[in-house]
Amino acid sequence: MRYDFDTPIDRRGTASIKWDYGKRFTGLEELLPLWVADMDFPACTEVIEALKRRVEHGVFGYTLEPESYFQAVIDWMRHRHGWEIRRGWMVAAPGVIPSLNLALLAYSQPGDGVIIQPPVYYPFKESIVNNERRVVENPLRLDGNRYTMDLDQLKDSIDERTRLLILCSPHNPVARVWSRQELEKLADICLRQKIIILSDEIHHDLIMPGHRHTPTASLSGEAAAITVTLTSATKTFNLAGLGCSLVIASDRDLRKRFRATQKRICTEVANALSAVATEAAYRHGESWLEQVLDYVRGNYEFLVAFLGERLPGGRVIPLEGTYLVWIDLRALGLSDEELKKRILGRAKVWLDDGPMFGSGGEGFQRINLACPRSTLEQALEATVRALG
Ligand SMILES: Cc1ncc(COP(=O)(O)O)c(C=O)c1O
């Protein structure tokens, strides 16, 4: 079946964070939002049908994820990523960020160091600060148009109280899909320094042509023994409002410690709809996903051409993965405050400001490409005019 991603769907009035809460988050109304990472596209038909069947049953008592759900995840990981996982390695959880917070509690003590690689998805830092751990920054390097990990600085930043590294793979917001070689070097350092890797792979399926996602835990048996993978179908299939994720750890001790922490706050009970949606997506959604990836790729090419012509001072960082494009506006010579004043205040376009993502984000903006091309065009037109 061919999906239509061109026709805008009005999401206002659905309690959408993106479309209904501009006033609450920014104080402004009537914004065109291309910020938070969800898609303005409808889910695939099989997901909607599976949800309808479940809703029509009408009884929504306490639920656990069925075994068929775990099998669908196992099959997807093998088929899509060549990663063999076992049922016993998986712990179901409501969301990746809740699991990240639990993992910090499970594997570290207050005051312990946790490494992040900014600019990076801002809840990483928040989770470290909120749990009274210490943020250790290993900033990414930008050489020309390409971000890389600074592994020498990483080695220098580790001390005897550094316990964890939160890896964003693929990386939000710089859109890198880390190569096997890069990940191997990183895992090697973590192995030698006894650092546990919390590998957030929520964007694992959103990969552009020419790139391949490597699950960190698939690198080697040694790497798997220090890796806790946080994953979900919610980004891939636009199911974030249903909340559903998995923690995967082949190491028994890491799993045990995570489970014990999870038990303390009782998040084991499942949402009655989310596993239904995830299972249907993994079993039947591949063609939908391929079409979304094509469409996002088209939006990216549109944006590159548009900005190339209309905003020569803007530099687009190549999109290897995710549907979030990272734009370097530093050459315009405007402060972050001025950029915000013009883009949000004047153009009424709601993007994610670079500084939100921490060190190295100054002068950048993140744009969500998972929207109809006409929405993107409208946003770019207004933004370029406000910056001109
Ligand atoms: C890297 C990354 N991790 C996690 C999340 C959110 O995960 P969840 O909604 O399952 O808490 C996002 C959403 O944008 C993300 O980009």
Side-chain angles (χ1 to χ4, degrees):
M1 149 173 201
R2 287 304 306 167
Y3 285 91
D4 167 18
F5 301 125
D6 275 324
T7 308
I9 294 179
D10 188 0
R11 295 181 60 190
R12 289 194 180 88
T14 63
S16 150
I17 290 189
K18 205 188 216 170
W19 288 89
D20 285 320
Y21 291 98
K23 179 95 180 144
R24 183 186 297 183
F25 287 109
T26 69
L28 300 171
E29 275 172 308
E30 296 304 320
L31 297 171
L32 189 57
L34 287 83
W35 66 288
V36 66
D38 68 18
M39 306 181 190
D40 289 334
F41 306 141
C44 79
T45 308
E46 288 86 351
V47 167
I48 296 169
E49 290 306 321
L51 285 171
K52 275 189 192 159
R53 283 195 296 277
R54 181 64 190 87
V55 167
E56 275 162 11
H57 180 268
V59 182
F60 305 107
Y62 288 119
T63 309
L64 283 179
E65 294 81 3
E67 286 308 309
S68 55
Y69 158 79
F70 293 103
Q71 191 56 49
V73 178
I74 291 171
D75 294 344
W76 182 264
M77 293 300 187
R78 178 187 302 122
H79 168 68
R80 208 67 203 175
H81 302 293
W83 186 27
E84 291 291 343
I85 54 171
R86 298 199 192 137
R87 166 67 182 96
W89 299 352
M90 296 190 259
V91 182
V96 165
I97 293 309
S99 294
L100 185 68
N101 281 270
L102 287 177
L104 293 182
L105 293 172
Y107 306 129
S108 65
Q109 297 296 321
D112 282 348
V114 182
I115 305 161
I116 53 171
Q117 299 177 304
V120 72
Y121 183 55
Y122 36 88
F124 287 7
K125 183 172 179 179
E126 281 169 12
S127 65
I128 301 170
V129 172
N130 291 342
N131 289 295
E132 292 161 1
R133 273 62 175 164
R134 186 167 40 92
V135 178
V136 178
E137 293 206 345
N138 171 224
L140 297 178
R141 290 175 48 160
L142 179 56
D143 299 315
N145 239 4
R146 188 175 167 79
Y147 280 91
T148 53
M149 294 187 198
D150 187 343
L151 297 179
D152 291 326
Q153 194 276 350
L154 174 65
K155 284 182 210 151
D156 292 342
S157 68
I158 295 171
D159 64 24
E160 68 288 349
R161 285 203 66 187
T162 314
R163 299 276 175 266
L164 298 157
L165 177 140
I166 309 176
L167 174 67
C168 198
S169 180
H171 192 102
N172 169 13
V174 310
R176 273 297 321 274
V177 175
W178 303 116
S179 69
R180 172 172 275 273
Q181 290 74 13
E182 288 173 297
L183 293 170
E184 276 170 352
K185 286 186 190 152
L186 180 78
D188 200 43
I189 295 170
C190 294
L191 267 165
R192 267 189 267 141
Q193 305 279 358
K194 299 196 173 13
I195 306 272
I196 297 168
I197 303 175
L198 301 179
S199 193
D200 178 340
E201 299 185 18
I202 196 168
H203 293 278
H204 63 164
D205 294 315
L206 300 159
I207 307 295
M208 292 295 125
H211 299 276
R212 186 174 170 80
H213 171 72
T214 307
T216 309
S218 74
L219 292 171
S220 66
E222 290 82 11
I226 57 159
T227 300
V228 175
T229 305
L230 309 171
T231 189
S232 171
T234 53
K235 281 294 156 222
T236 311
F237 291 103
N238 202 27
L239 306 171
L242 292 171
C244 190
S245 79
L246 277 171
V247 173
I248 305 175
S250 59
D251 183 82
R252 199 195 178 99
D253 180 57
L254 289 178
R255 241 174 18 242
K256 209 169 117 194
R257 285 157 73 190
F258 184 86
R259 277 221 176 88
T261 311
Q262 190 184 38
K263 221 173 170 51
R264 283 161 52 191
I265 58 155
C266 305
T267 59
E268 295 101 324
V269 172
N271 174 305
L273 298 179
S274 55
V276 169
T278 296
E279 182 175 343
Y282 277 155
R283 289 197 188 287
H284 308 292
E286 192 165 34
S287 153
W288 179 93
L289 172 61
E290 294 298 348
Q291 293 177 52
V292 165
L293 290 173
D294 270 359
Y295 196 84
V296 167
R297 175 83 199 163
N299 274 355
Y300 170 70
E301 282 163 4
F302 176 82
L303 172 137
V304 170
F306 190 101
L307 294 184
E309 195 179 311
R310 304 276 305 279
L311 192 69
R315 182 164 66 135
V316 183
I317 301 300
L319 187 80
E320 297 182 358
T322 81
Y323 49 73
L324 308 162
V325 67
W326 188 233
I327 315 280
D328 181 357
L329 297 175
R330 290 174 300 175
L332 300 181
L334 302 171
S335 66
D336 285 301
E337 202 185 328
E338 184 63 24
L339 282 174
K340 188 169 181 169
K341 213 156 95 187
R342 294 196 190 193
I343 299 172
L344 187 70
R346 204 184 289 171
K348 300 258 187 253
V349 174
W350 189 4
L351 306 179
D352 263 350
D353 289 328
M356 290 168 72
F357 299 90
S359 317
E362 304 80 9
F364 286 78
Q365 294 279 320
R366 192 192 76 175
I367 303 180
N368 183 335
L369 295 170
C371 59
R373 197 145 311 154
S374 56
T375 307
L376 179 64
E377 184 172 9
Q378 201 188 330
L380 291 177
E381 188 67 56
T383 301
V384 163
R385 255 190 276 122
L387 292 174

